[in-house]
Each structure stands twice: as structure tokens, then as C-alpha cells.
Amino acid sequence: EESFAALERGAGAHRGTLSSDSVEELASHEAIRGNFTSDKLGNLAAGYEGESPIFVIGMPRTGTTLVERMLSSHSAVTSIGEFTDFPLLIGDLMAQADPAALSDAELSLAIDFAELGKRYSAAARQVAGGSTRFVDKLPYNFLYCGYILSALPNARIVHLTRDPLDTCYAVYKTLFFNACSCSYQLEELADYYISYRRQMAHWHQVFPGRILDVSYEQLVQEPETQAQRILEWCELPWEAGVLDFHEQDSPVMTASAMQVRKPMYTDSIGTAQRAGSGLDPLRERLQREGLL
């Protein structure tokens, strides 16, 4: 209880230094969902089929880095890390359209999706070098699955899931750098997590069979079975070396830098229990939403 109280004070103090508007951020999530509806997808321009990138997405602290390291241990795959170009390119192409003639919703779908895919692939290829396949592990790309699958029809998306309370607790006690401003106040964190779940449910509805969900708990408890499933989804042949991800010596620039240097372990399952009653408001909120 004392530890959680200290965490709460620290997180609240840090939140006070941030100027982000969580209401505006969540409204943008909803706007994206409103743009990509089943009846609108048939009118979108064709995408770019020249590449087959792998996107690893999900909430932070759900095993995205672990899966990235497993994939990049494959002989045919290179990691380009948390590559921020895709959302930036969406903005660039929207800026080239005619904002005076189109509403915001129309503007977001009027972009040249083939050009988006081509520009992204060119930028990613500069980082990936000569590798035939590359993995982009920007967790927040869960917002843009509609753009990814429209611009890059051959893309593979791997979505990491984790117990909701464990996810939120792990996010809450992590100090992020210029990211995840919602994570320092439990009410804002609950709002964000609920929006994330709505986003992913929406993508599964309008792009059925295009996103592979991988449970973090199942991954660490049965790594070989889940690794085989992931490689099959990415159309990659089985290589046992993906289970030796912890032996890689390449740098890790995420909050999981220490964890992925170790062999697979299950100690992070159920970590929310360590918070005692501190997470009760969050637990009750997620229960009301049907997420627990």
C-alpha cells in the first residue's frame, strides 16, 4: 500500500508537467474508427503490393518487444525498431490534398494509398538494408491498422494482448519518454485502454482475418507453439533460433531492454496483484465496460 501510494504521487507529479489533452486524443481515435467503415472500404484507392512488412502492435508493455526480438532472430527478418514514419507519412499526404474542398473525414481517405505504401516501404528499406522482410514495432500503430492494410495489402499485423489489469499496471509504473501521457493518471489510463480495445475490435470487424492476436500469457507459457503460429502467419519457415532471442546483441531502445536479454519467463503474469487495492478504481471501471 505504501509503495503504491508513492507511485501514485510520483505519477501525478509527472502528469502535472505534461500539457497533452487526453480528451482530444481519444476523439481522434474515434474519428479514425468513423472513417474506416465497411461501406467506405470499397471506395478506397488500391494500395502498394511491393512489400510484405510485419507490424507488431498493441498497448505498451504487452510483449511487443519480445515478439519483435523473436522475429528478428529469424534469418530472413530485420527489425527497424519503433519506426515512426507511417503515421507521419499519413499526415504528409493529407496535407497535399485540398482541405478546403474536403471534410476532415473525407480528407483522411482521399490520400493516395499506393503512394503511402510506396513511401513507407522506401523509408523502411533504408533502415532494413538488404533484408527480404522487416518488422516495424511501433505499438501505437494499432491506431492505424486501416491505413496499413489499405496502403500495404501484403502487410502482416501481429497484435499482442495481455491481461487488462497487468497491462495497465505495467504502463502506469513505467516512465515513458515523450509518449503515453495518459499513463500517469488512472482515470485517463482507463479511458485510453478502453479506447484501444474499441479500436482493435473495430479493425477485426472491418478487416476480418487480417490481424493475428497473440496472448502474452500464452506466448511465455508455450513459446514454441506460439512462435510457430506467428511465423506461419508471417509466411516464414520455422527456425528454432527464434526462441534464442535473448542472445541477440543488437541494442534495444524500449522499456523492455532488460527483460528481452533473459530467456522466456512467466514472472510478469499477475503482476497487478502487487498493487493491492490501489487498482480498485481501474478494476471497477474495466468491469463496468465488460473488459474483465
Side-chain angles (χ1 to χ4, degrees):
E1 298 293 337
E2 183 180 355
S3 170
F4 191 85
L7 171 60
E8 201 166 28
R9 289 195 300 274
H14 186 66
R15 181 64 181 95
T17 70
L18 305 175
S19 59
S20 61
D21 186 338
S22 62
V23 174
E24 182 178 346
E25 182 176 11
L26 297 185
S28 70
H29 297 190
E30 187 173 357
I32 292 173
R33 294 195 294 270
N35 291 340
F36 282 89
T37 58
S38 299
D39 60 320
K40 294 178 181 178
L41 292 180
N43 298 322
L44 298 184
Y48 175 66
E49 300 190 9
E51 299 286 350
S52 301
I54 303 166
F55 290 84
V56 178
I57 64 168
M59 282 286 288
R61 316 299 291 139
T62 57
T64 55
T65 301
L66 171 59
V67 169
E68 173 209 24
R69 300 293 280 190
M70 293 176 73
L71 282 166
S72 59
S73 296
H74 194 282
S75 62
V77 180
T78 295
S79 172
I80 59 174
E82 296 192 347
F83 197 57
T84 60
D85 279 40
F86 196 88
L88 294 175
L89 286 169
I90 295 172
D92 289 346
L93 288 171
M94 286 178 62
Q96 294 177 15
D98 184 1
L102 301 170
S103 67
D104 289 344
E106 292 170 331
L107 192 64
S108 65
L109 297 181
I111 63 175
D112 185 334
F113 282 96
E115 183 65 17
L116 173 59
K118 189 179 299 184
R119 289 191 189 185
Y120 168 82
S121 298
R125 183 62 63 196
Q126 291 184 20
V127 181
S131 176
T132 58
R133 301 291 298 277
F134 56 85
V135 54
D136 180 337
K137 192 219 71 112
L138 185 66
Y140 304 104
N141 273 330
F142 76 79
L143 291 169
Y144 307 110
C145 290
Y147 288 98
I148 291 170
L149 294 173
S150 299
L152 296 158
N154 296 326
R156 288 287 185 259
I157 298 181
V158 179
H159 168 227
L160 269 293
T161 69
R162 187 182 179 186
D163 174 84
L165 283 179
D166 284 352
T167 297
C168 290
Y169 181 52
V171 169
Y172 187 57
K173 62 190 179 73
T174 299
L175 180 63
F176 294 94
F177 179 71
N178 288 339
C180 214
S181 59
C182 69
S183 66
Y184 306 106
Q185 205 269 350
L186 285 179
E187 186 175 349
E188 288 185 339
L189 179 55
D191 288 340
Y192 191 93
Y193 183 82
I194 291 166
S195 181
Y196 146 74
R197 289 287 294 265
R198 289 174 180 167
Q199 201 84 359
M200 291 312 305
H202 178 76
W203 296 136
H204 278 300
Q205 179 185 0
V206 296
F207 291 97
R210 298 297 309 279
I211 299 170
L212 178 71
D213 286 344
V214 176
S215 160
Y216 170 77
E217 288 80 9
Q218 290 182 2
L219 177 63
V220 298
Q221 290 173 330
E222 45 186 51
E224 184 170 342
T225 298
Q226 294 302 315
Q228 289 175 340
R229 182 168 167 255
I230 293 169
L231 293 184
E232 183 178 352
W233 174 257
C234 297
E235 298 182 326
L236 292 165
W238 170 250
E239 290 184 5
V242 299
L243 300 177
D244 299 323
F245 59 90
H246 56 285
E247 297 180 359
Q248 285 192 49
D249 57 7
S250 56
V252 184
M253 305 299 291
T254 75
S256 302
M258 296 300 294
Q259 289 94 326
V260 295
R261 299 296 187 194
K262 306 174 184 177
M264 200 79 74
Y265 60 90
T266 60
D267 297 1
S268 293
I269 297 177
T271 51
Q273 296 176 14
R274 302 173 189 170
S277 62
L279 293 178
D280 282 353
L282 177 67
R283 180 182 290 105
E284 292 167 4
R285 178 79 186 285
L286 296 182
Q287 285 174 340
R288 290 197 301 271
E289 293 288 333
L291 299 179
L292 284 179

